[in-house]
Amino acid sequence: MGKGGALSEGVVRKIVVSYTYVAIWIFLSFTVIVFNKYILDRKMFNWPFPISLTMIHMAFCSSIAYLLVRVFRVVEPVSMSRDLYLRSVVPIGALYSLSLWFSNSAYIYLSVSFIQMLKALMPVAVYSIGVLLKKDNFKSDTMANMVSISIGVAIAAYGEAKFDTWGVVLQLGAVAFEATRLVMIQILLTSKGITLNPITSLYYVAPCCLVFLSVPWIFVEYPLLRETSSFHFDFWIFGTNSLCAFALNLAVFLLVGKTSALTMNVAGVVKDWLLIAFSWSVIKDVVTPVNLLGYGVAFLGVAYYNHAKLQALKAKEAQKKAGQPDEEAGRLLDNEKEGAGNERKNESET
């Protein structure tokens, strides 16, 4: 095969690998969402204890992460002082625990399809919190796009057949906490040059979440679980559920590390449509035309937001590439000036 053939072969291989990572992430994310819904829903497995379920996930992830970091040495721990841990990791762990608690609780009250529609507000929350915390610059066109997404979600909520106010409050709270967590990661960790892969992230954050969740668990769910002492803990169900949750964290790392965060956002939109279709066709949730109209409007807003981010990223890369020849020309000019200065110095000395 010629040089061109080898190049095209490499490009095809890269595309196949990228789509494989996307497919794995969509499958695992899809599985965890449906699995959690199955466990928590009163009409299915009927175990409506979202804090306990989240704590099981965190305990499992903490244990596996500890083994991989400390025992098998698969990855090295990040050099982190006690002060940095308390100031950075602990707040992020608190936000993560609240996000998981609220999002899992919402599955008790809302359909899978409607929850995915509400999740379309994530870019709105991330951008708004970023502007408030001075991490993003306010732009009128971006804010107009955020308003269009919000209007679309509002239309979808208006058309929801089984609207539950408490469930919506829980899901919106989960979106707000998750968006704040993402912004705080940039402020507290990324700005300090600290990057955590999923294993080290779980190693540091999961135990934090477990501690934070134990406080509401003692007062909210422990008394109820004690009353239902006849409940048989299904190790197969909760074990496979926790394993899927851990695998999802690894899939996120592979997808973002091998492609980009933008690819994950686009894949997330595809996943949401698949979940809506699954919720309607298999779980038999009611999806109204107004639901689809509203989510369609929000989807267009999210798609435009992702497109704008992609264009900004391309412009930044082009600017960086354009700056490299200028830097090289500047260095050459400096070298020429330095050489000319040395020549004049030698002439004066002779």
Side-chain angles (χ1 to χ4, degrees), residues 35-331:
F35 210 157
N36 287 352
K37 173 66 175 178
Y38 168 76
I39 291 172
L40 294 166
D41 197 290
R42 298 180 189 277
K43 296 178 182 177
M44 299 182 191
F45 190 73
N46 190 26
W47 201 69
F49 300 106
I51 306 176
S52 301
L53 180 64
T54 310
M55 288 179 70
I56 291 169
H57 289 172
M58 291 299 103
F60 182 88
C61 290
S62 298
S63 303
I64 298 297
Y66 180 84
L67 290 173
L68 293 174
V69 173
R70 291 297 181 185
V71 179
F72 298 110
R73 307 279 182 181
V74 175
V75 294
E76 289 296 320
V78 176
S79 178
M80 189 180 300
S81 66
R82 181 188 179 91
D83 182 64
L84 181 61
Y85 182 83
L86 293 174
R87 287 170 177 257
S88 301
V89 176
V90 170
I92 290 169
L95 289 167
Y96 193 36
S97 63
L98 289 168
S99 170
L100 292 172
W101 171 18
F102 280 38
S103 62
N104 282 335
S105 298
Y107 284 106
I108 300 173
Y109 305 96
L110 302 176
S111 66
V112 170
S113 58
F114 187 44
I115 285 175
Q116 304 318 303
M117 294 176 189
L118 291 174
K119 283 182 180 179
L121 288 170
M122 184 60 73
V124 180
V126 171
Y127 178 71
S128 301
I129 293 168
V131 170
L132 287 173
L133 298 178
K134 302 186 185 301
K135 191 64 184 174
D136 280 318
N137 297 321
F138 177 84
K139 295 179 181 177
S140 56
D141 56 340
T142 305
M143 186 53 73
N145 186 32
M146 298 298 106
V147 171
S148 70
I149 295 172
S150 302
I151 290 172
V153 173
I155 294 171
Y158 178 77
E160 175 60 21
K162 295 180 179 178
F163 186 91
D164 186 282
T165 304
W166 180 237
V168 171
V169 169
L170 287 170
Q171 184 55 45
L172 293 180
V175 168
F177 285 125
E178 179 63 12
T180 307
R181 182 183 76 92
L182 295 173
V183 175
M184 293 304 285
I185 286 174
Q186 290 183 320
I187 295 173
L188 297 176
L189 292 179
T190 309
S191 61
K192 293 181 175 66
I194 297 173
T195 54
L196 301 176
N197 62 46
I199 297 174
T200 52
S201 177
L202 290 173
Y203 175 75
Y204 290 109
V205 177
C208 242
C209 291
L210 193 59
V211 172
F212 278 114
L213 288 167
S214 65
V215 177
W217 179 77
I218 290 171
F219 297 101
V220 178
E221 292 188 2
Y222 175 67
L224 295 173
L225 285 166
R226 191 170 53 185
E227 289 177 8
T228 57
S229 56
S230 59
F231 173 77
H232 174 67
F233 188 86
D234 194 322
F235 286 95
W236 170 251
I237 290 289
F238 292 105
T240 52
N241 180 247
S242 299
L243 186 61
C244 287
F246 181 78
L248 178 59
N249 281 279
L250 298 183
V252 169
F253 171 66
L254 287 172
L255 182 60
V256 175
K258 301 297 182 180
T259 57
S260 67
L262 190 61
T263 302
M264 182 174 157
N265 289 340
V266 175
V269 173
V270 176
K271 178 206 69 178
D272 290 342
W273 280 110
L274 289 173
L275 278 166
I276 291 170
F278 179 85
S279 177
W280 170 72
S281 61
V282 179
I283 303 179
K284 301 302 180 183
D285 287 331
V286 178
V287 180
T288 68
V290 179
N291 275 148
L292 295 177
L293 173 64
Y295 185 66
V297 172
F299 164 75
L300 292 175
V302 172
Y304 178 78
Y305 174 73
N306 288 331
H307 174 73
K309 283 181 69 177
L310 179 60
Q311 295 305 312
L313 187 62
K314 286 182 177 178
K316 190 175 180 181
E317 289 178 355
Q319 189 177 9
K320 191 182 293 183
K321 287 180 181 178
Q324 286 175 354
D326 292 341
E327 289 175 8
E328 290 174 6
R331 282 196 296 270

